Amino acid sequence: MAYRVKHFLCEERPLFVSELGHSSYKESKRVGPWSRAIFILHLVVRGYADFSGFRAEAGQVFLIAKDRLHSFTTSEDYEHYWIGFGGETVGTLFAAFGIEHREHKLFRVEDADFAKSLFSLAMERASRESDEGGETA
């Protein structure tokens, strides 16, 4: 089951979050291939995802680049959080951190528990502020 909060910030803003989510799967799952008009950052909490030539394991994040074809296959007993975002200033934000954002990327997180708590907190806050909050399958 996935919990997704959509459009709690307006897409007309220079930087917006269009969705937050959390999923866990007991069985392996394939997602895609497709492309999205936003960037999506996934935090792998448990298991792994084979993603566009990378293996993202627990404690890693993978960035799905905007408008780039992607797919991934999860391991059994897989859990992850994701955040979808976009806007005019995303390129500037990535440049400030020295991140090339036109390609998919894989990153290690120094404190995965802290990152997980940030995702959980963001989802809780967004669900309270969103008109469209709710559970989806």
Side-chain angles (χ1 to χ4, degrees):
M1 174 165 34
Y3 182 75
R4 196 179 291 193
V5 179
K6 289 191 170 190
H7 304 293
F8 71 93
L9 291 178
C10 178
E11 290 188 14
E12 288 80 34
R13 294 185 182 188
L15 179 63
F16 65 87
V17 173
S18 61
E19 62 186 65
L20 292 165
H22 172 256
S23 294
S24 60
Y25 310 112
K26 294 296 181 195
E27 297 182 11
S28 179
K29 181 176 180 176
R30 179 164 173 82
V31 177
W34 54 45
S35 64
R36 303 276 307 268
I38 57 173
F39 294 92
I40 306 172
L41 189 69
H42 291 259
L43 169 66
V44 179
V45 175
R46 189 176 61 245
Y48 64 86
D50 288 325
F51 161 70
S52 298
F54 303 107
R55 173 162 284 187
E57 300 177 341
Q60 293 182 310
V61 296
F62 59 97
L63 175 68
I64 296 174
K66 176 182 173 182
D67 297 326
R68 297 297 309 256
L69 188 65
H70 67 277
S71 64
F72 62 91
T73 303
T74 71
S75 64
E76 295 178 353
D77 196 26
Y78 176 79
E79 180 181 6
H80 72 149
Y81 287 87
W82 73 90
I83 182 169
F85 59 96
E88 302 168 2
T89 59
V90 171
T92 303
L93 179 64
F94 281 128
F97 289 97
I99 298 171
E100 170 52 53
H101 63 282
R102 291 176 185 87
E103 300 294 330
H104 305 311
K105 296 287 182 189
L106 178 66
F107 304 94
R108 172 145 312 275
V109 176
E110 284 190 35
D111 189 341
D113 290 333
F114 180 68
K116 180 181 173 182
S117 69
L118 287 177
F119 270 96
S120 295
L121 181 63
M123 288 181 64
E124 288 172 24
R125 181 165 181 188
S127 68
R128 287 193 306 264
E129 295 177 4
S130 176
D131 294 334
E132 296 181 29
E135 291 192 32
T136 61

